[in-house]
Amino acid sequence: MRTMSHDLRRAQRDSRAFLVSAAKYLHRHGTPAHRLEDTLVVCAKGLGQRLQVLATPTAVELAFGGRRQRSYLIRADAGEAELGRLVALDAVIAEVGSGRLDPVAGKLKLRRVAAAPPVYGGAAVIAAFGLASAGAARFFGGNLAEVLLSLGLGLGLGVLSRFANARAGLGRVLTPLAAFLAALVSLLAARWITGVHEQVTILSALIVLVPGLSLTLAMTELATRHLVSGTARLAGSLTVFVTMAFGVAVARAIVEVLPLGPTHEVAPWLVEALPAWTRSFALVLAPIGFCVLFQARRADIPAIAITGIFAAELARFAASIVGPELGAFTGAFAVALAANGYAAWRRLPAAVILLPCLLLLVPGAIGFQSVTSFMANDALGGIEAAFRMVLVAVSLVAGVLVANTVVLPHLRRPATEHRAA
């Protein structure tokens, strides 16, 4: 009897240790708070544990038991989403939750997954920064000179981001520093080269750092009643917007007092409007760049690219008919529907499709324009842009949530389900 009691206590300790490790790794690798909570609770139920979870962007608290609870607090900043690693973590958690894998072996497997090298190395990530910036410049109507300048700035910011990841002090000032450097180069180029507009190149260079996806996730968490996490993420997103605008304002103030020479003419083909087919080309390359930035598996790239292209074109078509808000809703609905279907088919988290494709629709550019308008003493323009940003973000969230209600029951994943919401 004593042996059975000892074995039961040890099994409980092993299960709790596994759930604590799973919470730490899911949080570290970018799982949204509501997904993290749902995944852990479902896995705990499979292990016979009573668990309550409170997740925020900076901490996770787990409380085991009923009347006599035992709590664990994990304090850490949420990392960037790594889709390939999240797929592997999700598979381990599903195996343990269904009883196919022992919690002790599962904990060791989680550790190996977390310690594995990323899917793409530093050179590929830097190239993805440049690719995303060049594609964004084309989406914003830039000419060839602006696309090439955005490409160079994106590559430079990619290198800066790699340095910042290795140095904590630099990482804390990466956003305003990147905004300052991108704005300084763009403003100088606009002063020296006829036909280059700094608004296009600044926003295109910073497109990867603009927290549009974080803003949309914050609205999703608020809509699903995860108020603490949603409020914290929303405040963090607004802070990033403000620090970026501060960097741009400093660069603008410096350029205005510099004794710059006259502008120079360049070859006409560099500043002429690009043909329409180049937008389609950029639309194909942009999802690939986002796949690298999110560290998605190579096997998932075709599905991400196809979904992203279809959703972006559908949103643009719908926006031309019924307005940008319903256009965003339509695109998000299509993305979430595809994400849920792909997740059910391949037994993967829906985030594999959702995050990189949703990044093509998020209102980060509008939010950045709102803050820069305020700093330029254009309060009316800033308020208008901020209101449009919120409307588009809410439309995206509504599209995702509605898509979850129409997925057929037999397509929903059991155990550690990761739906798009």
Side-chain angles (χ1 to χ4, degrees):
M1 196 74 172
R2 186 175 299 174
T3 303
M4 291 179 61
S5 178
H6 175 73
D7 291 343
L8 180 59
R9 287 197 299 270
R10 185 175 64 181
Q12 289 181 339
R13 287 197 302 269
D14 293 340
S15 297
R16 292 177 179 180
F18 171 80
L19 290 168
V20 171
S21 295
K24 178 177 67 174
Y25 293 130
L26 287 174
H27 187 265
R28 177 187 300 174
H29 297 295
T31 304
H34 55 295
R35 288 291 108 221
L36 189 151
E37 292 181 8
D38 293 346
T39 299
L40 292 178
V41 169
V42 172
C43 183
K45 185 177 180 180
L47 293 172
Q49 294 284 332
R50 296 182 64 182
L51 174 64
Q52 297 182 63
V53 187
L54 175 62
T56 72
T58 57
V60 183
E61 185 174 3
L62 297 91
F64 293 95
R67 294 177 59 187
R68 301 178 61 183
Q69 286 189 340
R70 184 168 184 175
S71 299
Y72 296 82
L73 176 64
I74 302 170
R75 175 66 175 88
D77 292 334
E80 298 295 330
E82 295 186 42
L83 299 181
R85 210 181 300 271
L86 287 179
V87 169
L89 292 173
D90 182 74
V92 176
I93 295 171
E95 285 185 310
V96 174
S98 61
R100 299 193 304 270
L101 186 65
D102 180 78
V104 176
K107 183 179 177 181
L108 294 175
K109 199 169 182 180
L110 286 177
R111 191 177 301 169
R112 288 196 297 269
V113 170
V119 179
Y120 306 99
V125 172
I126 293 171
F129 265 83
L131 193 64
S133 296
R138 177 60 190 90
F139 295 147
F140 296 145
N143 52 44
L144 183 58
E146 292 163 344
V147 169
L148 293 176
L149 180 58
S150 299
L151 173 64
L153 288 172
L155 293 174
L157 295 185
V159 174
L160 180 63
S161 176
R162 297 295 297 177
F163 276 111
N165 290 338
R167 294 166 176 80
L170 182 58
R172 294 189 182 96
V173 297
L174 172 63
T175 300
L177 179 60
F180 168 75
L181 295 175
L184 183 64
V185 175
S186 298
L187 289 166
L188 291 175
R191 292 289 184 91
W192 285 330
I193 303 174
T194 302
V196 172
H197 303 87
E198 68 271 13
Q199 295 91 341
V200 172
T201 54
I202 292 174
L203 188 54
S204 301
L206 298 175
I207 195 65
V208 175
L209 301 179
V210 169
L213 183 59
S214 180
L215 174 67
T216 304
L217 290 177
M219 301 300 294
T220 302
E221 290 172 345
L222 291 172
T224 54
R225 309 303 295 173
H226 291 76
L227 303 181
V228 174
S229 179
T231 303
R233 201 182 296 274
L234 179 61
S237 301
L238 296 178
T239 301
V240 172
F241 280 127
V242 172
T243 56
M244 294 177 73
F246 172 76
V248 173
V250 172
R252 194 179 299 276
I254 292 175
V255 171
E256 287 179 355
V257 299
L258 289 177
L260 302 177
T263 58
H264 299 81
E265 297 287 342
V266 295
W269 54 271
L270 281 173
V271 293
E272 290 176 352
L274 292 173
W277 64 265
T278 57
R279 185 185 184 279
S280 301
F281 183 68
L283 191 59
V284 172
L285 294 181
I288 298 176
F290 293 146
C291 286
V292 175
L293 293 173
F294 280 110
Q295 296 289 335
R297 302 183 308 167
R298 293 178 176 86
D300 299 321
I301 291 180
I304 294 172
I306 293 172
T307 303
I309 294 169
F310 174 77
E313 288 299 290
L314 179 63
R316 185 167 73 102
F317 175 75
S320 66
I321 298 176
V322 294
E325 293 79 17
L326 287 179
F329 172 87
T330 305
F333 178 83
V335 167
L337 206 60
N340 288 334
Y342 189 76
W345 174 43
R346 299 296 299 271
R347 294 296 186 265
L348 300 174
V352 170
I353 299 293
L354 185 73
L355 293 184
C357 293
L358 208 59
L359 197 58
L360 294 169
L361 307 173
V362 294
I366 304 175
F368 182 71
Q369 291 170 353
S370 170
V371 178
T372 53
S373 296
F374 277 117
M375 297 196 72
N377 295 322
D378 182 10
L380 184 60
I383 293 173
E384 180 184 359
F387 188 68
R388 285 192 293 117
M389 175 190 69
V390 172
L391 281 180
V392 173
V394 170
S395 299
L396 292 175
V397 172
V400 172
L401 296 179
V402 171
N404 284 339
T405 67
V406 300
V407 176
L408 297 178
H410 70 275
L411 288 179
R412 290 177 178 166
R413 298 182 61 201
T416 57
E417 179 187 1
H418 275 246
R419 287 191 294 156

